[in-house]
């Protein structure tokens, strides 16, 4: 980072503590070990993160959390992105936890949030269906509500970290609209199938519900689509932060390698064509940081939240893929090998570009929001412009 | 310089940033009440600028002894916000106040600063830069305009090019060769050149849009006092480096606080609506891409401004802002062409709007060339920010 991002002293301390933790526990060897392990992550590291309060960051204090804001979350996920942190931290802390905070009743929050904040409970959000759409309007999975209980029949696709979750948070469609339901992951009528993944550091499953019973978390009779949208925007901010952090690590990696690698009798970093690639990458790192920090700042402003989140996701997604591609290219043959970390970053980049909505989808959302919410924008500009 | 107590005191009312903003807003409204954007002349804009300065509403963050009010940078942020939408009513002072004045503040003598800076802030003096030459563009160390010492004067001979607004300008900061015996960077000096001097011949140069905002400046035995040296003799390269840093930040979108995103997006939406293509998916995608780029540039510009205020910004980071600005300019031009379609290919002679818009489109190369090409900015980023090895 070459252009400063304004952080509080606490956030600077948080950033350096998290960086030390991840540097020590998520180096290349440990990442490979985690990828090959059964659960896909180190439970020891999970526990250390819990002791540091990382699962509790945005949970309100009344539910046992730290009561932090989205910028705290952004700082932590930027660091998680740098090291391609494996495991359910993103699914549980950045997706499931905001879903409960935004869409669940006070009673349900009291039930779930303290355990989520302590890292004792792992929750996986089940949103997408066969279409692969992250647009909540496309949620079809029907649910029959009987009192506080809900009966589910159908399939959710692309569920992050379902195999290691204790509880699944399922977005369902009822007669009243969208509702949030929790289902125990070990329910015998829940079938979880691990899928093969492009991104080796993030596990994904398909989840089939065979008439199993869940617990209604949102208020009976209420359509919580707007609350769910806000929760997904929180996840988008965290994902964009991950993307900007990963890009920053790629820039450092490319910088270091091009300084060491000699061809034609000199470091390849002396070649202008290499310098310009790295200068472009630097600009993209800074722009992604601008986008994700602005999305974090704007999260509490209802008029700006959605546009800022989609702006960050649209930009950082494409920029990360470009950075991961150029990072392989400047490494030449060695960057194409299985052993090198370059492909892990590329896999993460290509995969997170789609997760939570593609850049095109977010750009479509931006235009719709700006035109719908700010009709005066186009009107006033029209007088002077045409 | 020595200051008496009464000069050192700000003669304007003590006001919070909010009060300052409110006063500026009222002032701008009433000052522009009887002016029409299309009928405003250079003289009108200059008069408004001077009156704004006299009211303590411009250059507030400059030190009192240099003609400012010594107010914190928050007031500049408020200024930038309030002045958005009134750009047509005041002259673009980015070269005089954004580039030349800070360079004079860094390297000028106390006498030079006292003589010029407050007049620059008031707009009484318009300044420009005499840097590029036909044989020295990206490679400014190849500057060949000679300045030969003759008593208390330098005598200047040679040609400068791409000089912005030289016709309106009163003074220029000129990079000249004072010692051809020294190696490239070593023999250069920075001089204040009054453009009304005999021997200074200014000829407008048409650019690809058909307008003539640039000039060629021919120097033919033009005499400039030795007292006009900014920085020491043969140390002009140091002065230039400072100047280019100010320039790259001044030329980066968003550093002035204007909302480029809403402006560019709004104009394109209005155009798409007028052309009946606002519902086309590819057009909407393009519109969003422009918004995203401009929005992120604005935020990056804000970070640069905050970094300048806190002293955490590394000077060469301005090159990043300039790279992004050049990219965004291309994106806006491309989007305009796409939305116009055939309407932008041919239009009736009485359709001034399309003609104006196409002239705007053809401006797109400027941000990637003027003030140092994008390629030079990338070298600066790689070598000065990232610390990659030089290869020269």
């Amino acid at each position: 980072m070459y252009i400063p991002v304004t952080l509080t002293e606490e956030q600077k301390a948080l950033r350096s503590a998290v960086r030390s933790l991840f540097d020590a526990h998520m180096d290349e060897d440990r990442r490979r070990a985690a990828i090959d392990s059964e659960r896909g992550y180190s439970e020891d590291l999970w526990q250390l993160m819990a002791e540091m309060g990382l699962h509790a960051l945005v949970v309100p204090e009344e539910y046992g959390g730290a009561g932090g804001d989205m910028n705290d979350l952004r700082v932590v996920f930027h660091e998680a992105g740098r090291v391609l942190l494996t495991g359910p931290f993103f699914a549980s802390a950045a997706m499931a936890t905001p879903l409960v905070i935004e869409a669940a009743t006070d009673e349900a929050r009291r039930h779930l949030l303290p355990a989520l904040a302590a890292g004792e409970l792992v929750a996986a959000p089940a949103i997408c269906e066969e279409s692969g759409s992250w647009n909540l309007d496309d949620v079809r999975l029907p649910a029959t509500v009987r009192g506080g209980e809900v009966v589910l029949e159908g399939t959710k696709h692309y569920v992050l970290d379902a195999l290691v979750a204790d509880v699944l948070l399922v977005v369902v469609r009822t007669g009243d609209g969208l509702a949030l339901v929790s289902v125990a992951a070990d329910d015998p009528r829940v079938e979880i199938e691990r899928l093969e993944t492009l991104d080796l550091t993030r596990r994904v499953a398909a989840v089939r519900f065979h008439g199993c019973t869940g617990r209604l978390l949102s208020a009976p009779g209420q359509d919580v689509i707007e609350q769910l949208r806000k929760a997904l925007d929180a996840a988008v901010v965290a994902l964009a932060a991950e993307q900007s952090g990963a890009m920053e690590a790629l820039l450092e990696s490319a910088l270091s390698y091009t300084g060491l690698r000699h061809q034609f009798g000199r470091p390849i970093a002396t070649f202008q064509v290499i310098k310009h690639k790295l200068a472009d990458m630097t600009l993209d790192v800074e722009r992604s940081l601008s986008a994700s920090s602005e999305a974090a700042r704007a999260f509490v402003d209802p008029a700006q939240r959605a546009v800022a989140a989609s702006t960050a996701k649209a930009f950082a997604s494409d920029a990360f893929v470009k950075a991961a591609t150029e990072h392989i290219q400047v490494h030449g043959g060695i960057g194409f090998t299985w052993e090198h970390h370059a492909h892990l970053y590329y896999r993460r980049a290509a995969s997170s570009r789609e997760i939570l909505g593609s850049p095109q989808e977010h750009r479509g959302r931006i235009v719709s929001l700006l035109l719908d919410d700010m009709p005066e924008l186009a009107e006033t500009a029209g007088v002077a412009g045409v | 310089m020595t200051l008496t107590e009464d000069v050192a005191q700000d003669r304007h009312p003590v006001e919070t940033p909010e009060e300052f903003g409110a006063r500026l807003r009222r002032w701008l409204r009433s000052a522009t009440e009887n002016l029409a954007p299309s009928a405003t002349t250079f003289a009108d804009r200059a008069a408004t600028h001077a009156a704004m300065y006299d009211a303590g509403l411009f250059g507030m963050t400059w030190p009192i002894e240099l003609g400012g009010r010594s107010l914190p940078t928050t007031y500049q942020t408020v200024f930038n916000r309030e002045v958005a939408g009134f750009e047509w009513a005041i002259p673009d002072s980015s070269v005089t106040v954004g580039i030349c004045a800070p360079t004079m503040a860094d390297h000028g003598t106390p006498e030079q600063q006292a003589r010029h800076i407050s007049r620059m802030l008031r707009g009484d003096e318009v300044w420009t830069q005499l840097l590029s030459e036909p044989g020295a563009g990206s490679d400014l160390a190849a500057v060949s305009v000679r300045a030969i010492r003759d008593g208390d004067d330098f005598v200047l001979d040679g040609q400068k090019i791409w000089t912005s607004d030289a016709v309106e300008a009163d003074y220029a900061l000129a990079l000249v060769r004072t010692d051809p015996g020294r190696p490239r960077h070593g023999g250069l000096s920075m001089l204040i050149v009054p453009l009304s001097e005999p021997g200074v011949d200014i000829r407008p140069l048409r650019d690809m849009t058909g307008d003539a905002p640039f000039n060629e400046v021919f120097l033919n035995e033009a005499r400039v006092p030795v007292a006009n040296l900014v920085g020491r003799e043969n140390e002009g390269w140091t002065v230039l480096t400072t100047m280019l840093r100010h320039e790259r930040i001044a030329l980066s979108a968003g550093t002035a606080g204007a909302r480029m995103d809403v402006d560019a997006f709004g104009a394109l939406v209005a155009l798409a609506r007028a052309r009946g293509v606002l519902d086309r998916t590819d057009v909407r995608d393009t519109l969003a891409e422009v918004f995203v780029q401009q929005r992120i540039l604005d935020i990056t510009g804000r970070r640069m401004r905050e970094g300048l205020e806190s002293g955490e910004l590394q000077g060469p980071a301005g090159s990043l802002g300039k790279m992004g600005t050049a990219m965004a300019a291309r994106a806006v031009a491309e989007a305009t062409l796409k939305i116009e379609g055939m309407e932008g290919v041919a239009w009736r002679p009485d359709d001034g709007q399309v003609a104006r818009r196409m002239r705007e489109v053809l401006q797109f190369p400027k941000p990637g060339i003027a003030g140092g090409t994008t390629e030079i900015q990338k070298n600066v980023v790689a070598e000065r920010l990232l610390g990659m090895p030089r290869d020269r």
Side-chain angles (χ1 to χ4, degrees), chain B residues 264-320:
Chain B
F265 179 79
L268 289 172
V269 165
L271 179 60
R273 189 164 276 164
R275 297 287 176 252
V277 294
L278 191 52
D279 291 328
R280 251 169 57 189
T281 316
D282 64 322
V283 168
R284 289 171 86 95
D285 198 57
T286 301
L287 288 170
E289 275 187 11
V290 166
F291 175 82
V292 166
Q293 270 209 49
Q294 295 280 10
R295 182 83 199 101
I296 292 175
L297 267 186
D298 285 354
I299 301 155
T300 309
R302 189 177 74 207
R303 285 171 58 202
M304 284 169 57
R305 207 168 62 230
E306 288 167 356
L308 279 177
E309 290 168 15
S310 69
E312 287 176 86
L313 187 77
Q314 298 167 270
S319 292
L320 288 169

Side-chain angles (χ1 to χ4, degrees), chain A residues 3 266 275-276 286 290, chain B residues 300 302-303 379 383 391:
Chain A
I3 307 174
R266 50 187 176 154
K275 287 179 181 172
H276 288 193
E286 294 294 346
S290 290
Chain B
T300 309
R302 189 177 74 207
R303 285 171 58 202
N379 287 351
E383 292 168 7
D391 184 36

Side-chain angles (χ1 to χ4, degrees), chain B residues 10 12 36 48 88 91 129 163 186 259 274 292 306 310 315 340 376:
Chain B
D10 186 7
H12 299 287
T48 308
W88 58 270
Q129 300 155 285
T163 311
R259 287 290 303 266
V292 166
E306 288 167 356
S310 69
E340 284 281 18
I376 290 292

Side-chain angles (χ1 to χ4, degrees), chain A residues 164-208:
Chain A
V164 295
D166 303 302
V167 60
L168 302 166
L169 301 187
V170 192
V171 176
V172 298
R173 188 165 291 281
T174 71
D176 301 309
L178 294 188
L180 184 65
V181 171
S182 70
V183 175
D186 60 357
D187 187 312
R189 286 161 297 177
V190 174
E191 188 191 336
I192 303 176
E193 180 196 358
R194 180 174 167 184
L195 304 174
E196 286 195 31
T197 50
L198 176 64
D199 179 359
L200 305 179
T201 60
R202 188 119 71 196
R203 301 225 172 148
V204 181
V207 181
R208 289 177 197 88

